[in-house]
Amino acid sequence: MSTHRPLRQGPVVCVGETMAALAPDPLGPLDGADLLRVDVAGAESNVALYLADHGIPARWVSAVGDDPFGRRVRARIAAGGVDVSGVRVDPERPTGLLLKDPGAQGTRVHYHRAGSAASALTPDVLDDPAFADAALVHLSGITPALSSGCRALVERALRPDRPWPVSFDVNHRPALWAGRSAADVLRPLADLADIVLVGLDEAQALWGEGITDAEDVRDLLSSPRVLVVKDGDRAATAFVGDAVHSVPALKVRVAEPVGAGDAFAAGFLSGLLRRLPVDGALRLGHLTAASALGVAADHGPLPDPALLSALLDADEETWRAAVID
């Protein structure tokens, strides 16, 4: 939250690709599945949906194909209370598709998104009226991996003369960077943002095993006003200027981890936008991540409002003992 780009009233504008997602039903290895469930999946639209769940005005900007999957994606996200007026319909390119393949070692994701409508986005999307009243623009490291035009879009959104603050979730997806260096692209982009979120494991994979803790990541990404380093099911640490805040993760029954990072980002940003103390914003991030961890889909219902409120206000001992099931 740079002093040059203060938060203001308006929606959080989330920019990025959302695909149709096919997953085995019941959940299990893809090669043994007889039935597939159709859902939608996209990091930035996940953030928008959870922001809307928290009562934060959210707008998703992207492109979909003029096809049944594209119509399903738009309808599903709009039904979650997200403004989709900035979504373009491309008559020539398809909506992207992904397949989830759950297994004992985790869930593999197979992408069919080359040449998709969203991969053809270019910097001119930032001239859309959808950005005129933005309180915050949210981006992720997935978008610059999709095409040269998408990378240019993110670079323009992060220019020093931008009128709105930007949050950037590093969101490293190795499969999208085959033959290219994600590390050399994502570090300078992240360092230009106002608010950055990254997993400790992501930072280690991208920038070296010499990174052992959150402080090492802060040394690497020193420019963002706010940096959040997520350490899996252990804790999340926020660096705000020179101050350091760390909140342990909740104990959660995990159905599938996909989508938890997006949920955490939305919860944390909601906390900042609601002017919660930083520790409260981190707690709201953990509580929102629990919503995604407990379901097989990318988006699940928030905890009961009474539980949410109680845990946000709980003492540290009660927080550490809490279990979300």
Side-chain angles (χ1 to χ4, degrees):
M1 288 174 299
S2 164
T3 55
H4 302 294
R5 289 176 292 271
L7 292 174
R8 58 188 183 186
Q9 294 297 312
V12 178
V13 180
C14 304
V15 188
E17 179 169 35
T18 295
M19 296 162 286
L22 302 181
D25 187 13
L27 214 57
L30 186 60
D31 56 10
D34 292 320
L35 296 174
L36 298 176
R37 175 176 47 82
V38 182
D39 205 339
V40 305
E44 298 83 6
S45 61
N46 284 342
V47 172
L49 285 165
Y50 279 115
L51 287 167
D53 288 343
H54 282 298
I56 303 295
R59 181 176 293 148
W60 173 55
V61 172
S62 188
V64 296
D66 186 11
D67 51 41
F69 281 148
R71 290 187 286 276
R72 188 177 186 123
V73 165
R74 279 187 57 141
R76 168 69 182 81
I77 295 170
V82 175
D83 179 353
V84 297
S85 60
V87 178
R88 302 176 178 185
V89 177
D90 190 325
E92 299 178 354
R93 298 176 181 86
T95 304
L97 175 68
L98 69 78
L99 298 167
K100 290 186 178 181
D101 185 11
Q105 305 304 314
T107 299
R108 293 186 62 196
V109 177
H110 304 274
Y111 296 109
H112 298 269
R113 70 201 308 179
S116 69
S119 71
L121 289 172
T122 56
D124 75 289
V125 74
L126 299 170
D127 299 323
D128 192 283
F131 292 86
D133 59 346
L136 176 72
V137 171
H138 181 72
L139 304 164
S140 88
I142 294 172
T143 302
L146 300 182
S147 67
S148 59
C150 284
R151 178 174 170 179
L153 186 166
V154 174
E155 290 172 341
R156 181 179 164 192
L158 285 165
R159 285 192 324 201
D161 62 349
R162 61 185 182 269
W164 7 253
V166 171
S167 56
F168 185 82
D169 190 338
V170 171
N171 227 330
H172 179 221
R173 296 288 183 268
L176 298 178
W177 292 94
R180 298 173 295 164
S181 172
D184 292 343
V185 174
L186 295 177
R187 180 180 173 184
L189 290 176
D191 225 18
L192 289 169
D194 300 274
I195 303 167
V196 174
L197 301 106
V198 64
L200 180 60
D201 56 345
E202 284 182 303
Q204 290 168 334
L206 281 166
W207 300 306
E209 292 300 324
I211 295 173
T212 60
D213 55 28
E215 286 74 16
D216 292 335
V217 183
R218 183 51 159 172
D219 290 342
L220 192 76
L221 298 173
S222 58
S223 295
R225 169 71 176 136
V226 179
L227 171 68
V228 178
V229 182
K230 300 166 289 178
D231 188 8
D233 60 1
R234 287 171 287 278
T237 301
F239 300 85
V240 183
D242 295 328
V244 183
H245 307 259
S246 189
V247 172
L250 291 160
K251 300 176 185 68
V252 181
R253 178 190 61 80
V254 178
E256 191 186 44
V258 176
D262 306 327
F264 182 96
F268 180 75
L269 294 174
S270 295
L272 294 186
L273 290 158
R274 286 165 50 179
R275 310 294 181 183
L276 295 183
V278 176
D279 284 6
L282 288 169
R283 284 190 177 192
L284 195 56
H286 285 310
L287 285 160
T288 312
S291 304
L293 290 167
V295 297
D298 283 12
H299 180 259
L302 292 179
D304 179 80
L307 176 63
L308 204 65
S309 178
L311 285 174
L312 283 176
D313 294 335
D315 59 46
E316 188 168 344
E317 183 180 357
T318 302
W319 173 265
R320 287 178 177 274
V323 179
I324 305 294
D325 191 357

